[in-house]
Amino acid sequence: MKKITALFTVAVLTAAIITSCSSPKTKENELSKQEEEQGYQLLFDGKTLNGWHLYNQGNISSGWIAQDGELKCLPGTAARHGDLVTDQDFENYELSFDWKISKEGNSGVFINVVERADIPTAWASGPEYQLLEKGHHDYDKEMKRAGCLYNFSPQLNPAEVNPPNEWNHSVIRQQNGKIEFVLNGIITAKEDFNSTKWRQAVANTNFKNFPEFGKHLKGRIALQDWNKGISFKNIKIRKING
């Protein structure tokens, strides 16, 4: 009986391994069947910058390129530089993306960005999900570590960023002005952009000098250009009910 049971166990495990190996895996920059059913859309097709443009400069050639399945910002080039922004506005959503950053790199993802000629940069209206490599000189500043709501709160729960040029996974959720940031599976920030607490926090920083900052619950998503290299892939978004 023991021998039969052992043989049965081996057969089950073998079948499970075969099934796992033969199951289709989601390719980079593509949606799985489950993600399609959940209403996700790709914001980066892995090949082009379709759906993106340079903030306040339109669809022009820049330091941002699609290369090797990555959306990259190349540092130190003669190309035009600036933050890359979506063509669409988004309100209640869940955004997920993978990112890797060079040694001492510093970048970010801005949300609720209002693009207007009288607003000079994406960060003048959009709060930032901070992206930072551990070797950067700001890493010891608690409110500037990766996954933070930049300059407003330290990590809600400790989360480590992977070594330079290794991929990290991030999620941004926003519902009726309430946001949640996730870094490598750990919730690192929460805030309510409707709250008096938020308005007071803005008033106590240099952002108070930018009248549109942090006041919007809908807007574009922007990727920050910086002096060091940054890459993104698997940028996916789905609408959630408000």
Side-chain angles (χ1 to χ4, degrees):
M1 180 63 72
K2 290 182 179 179
K3 184 176 181 180
I4 293 174
T5 301
L7 290 172
F8 177 75
T9 301
V10 170
V12 169
L13 290 173
T14 302
I17 292 171
I18 293 173
T19 301
S20 174
C21 293
S22 61
S23 298
K25 294 182 178 180
T26 304
K27 296 180 180 179
E28 303 283 12
N29 303 306
E30 291 187 6
L31 297 178
S32 67
K33 183 177 180 181
Q34 182 180 18
E35 287 172 331
E36 289 178 348
E37 292 172 349
Q38 292 173 335
Y40 277 95
Q41 69 177 94
L42 282 175
L43 293 186
F44 172 55
D45 62 14
K47 302 174 182 177
T48 71
L49 299 187
N50 291 347
W52 297 85
H53 63 273
L54 222 58
Y55 181 86
N56 270 348
Q57 299 182 66
N59 188 16
I60 63 172
S61 178
S62 72
W64 291 95
I65 64 169
Q67 185 180 75
D68 301 326
E70 301 174 18
L71 179 53
K72 298 181 177 181
C73 183
L74 302 178
T77 66
R80 187 79 61 89
H81 280 267
D83 297 333
L84 197 68
V85 63
T86 56
D87 294 345
Q88 300 180 61
D89 289 345
F90 300 95
E91 188 171 6
N92 295 309
Y93 59 84
E94 178 173 290
L95 171 72
S96 65
F97 56 96
D98 297 330
W99 59 278
K100 65 179 180 179
I101 198 164
S102 61
K103 184 174 176 58
E104 300 179 352
N106 182 349
S107 184
V109 176
F110 304 109
I111 60 174
N112 302 333
V113 171
V114 177
E115 187 176 18
R116 293 198 321 238
D118 64 319
I119 303 177
T121 62
W123 59 259
S125 64
E128 179 183 354
Y129 182 119
Q130 169 79 318
L131 307 178
L132 195 75
E133 197 275 316
K134 290 176 69 173
H136 192 277
H137 61 81
D138 275 346
Y139 187 78
D140 289 335
K141 299 176 182 178
E142 290 187 342
M143 292 192 293
K144 294 185 178 182
R145 289 190 179 180
C148 286
L149 176 55
Y150 174 79
N151 211 37
F152 285 97
S153 58
Q155 289 181 342
L156 190 62
N157 300 291
E160 289 296 326
V161 64
N162 291 325
N165 298 311
E166 290 188 16
W167 290 102
N168 299 274
H169 182 69
S170 293
V171 177
I172 298 174
R173 300 185 185 95
Q174 176 170 258
Q175 189 171 27
N176 297 326
K178 294 181 179 179
I179 61 100
E180 181 177 271
F181 291 172
V182 179
L183 172 60
N184 294 329
I186 298 172
I187 297 174
T188 51
K190 288 186 177 184
E191 188 56 80
D192 183 355
F193 292 153
N194 290 303
S195 68
T196 300
K197 171 179 168 288
W198 169 247
R199 289 189 290 272
Q200 290 175 341
V202 173
N204 289 326
T205 70
N206 289 334
F207 288 109
K208 66 184 178 183
N209 298 317
F210 299 90
E212 299 299 330
F213 179 82
K215 292 184 177 179
H216 301 271
L217 308 183
K218 178 181 180 179
R220 300 186 175 182
I221 295 165
L223 311 179
Q224 186 180 34
D225 184 359
W226 202 252
N227 296 329
K228 302 286 185 177
I230 181 75
S231 295
F232 298 87
K233 67 177 181 179
N234 299 321
I235 310 174
K236 306 173 183 182
I237 196 167
R238 71 179 178 96
K239 182 179 179 181
I240 57 179
N241 295 328

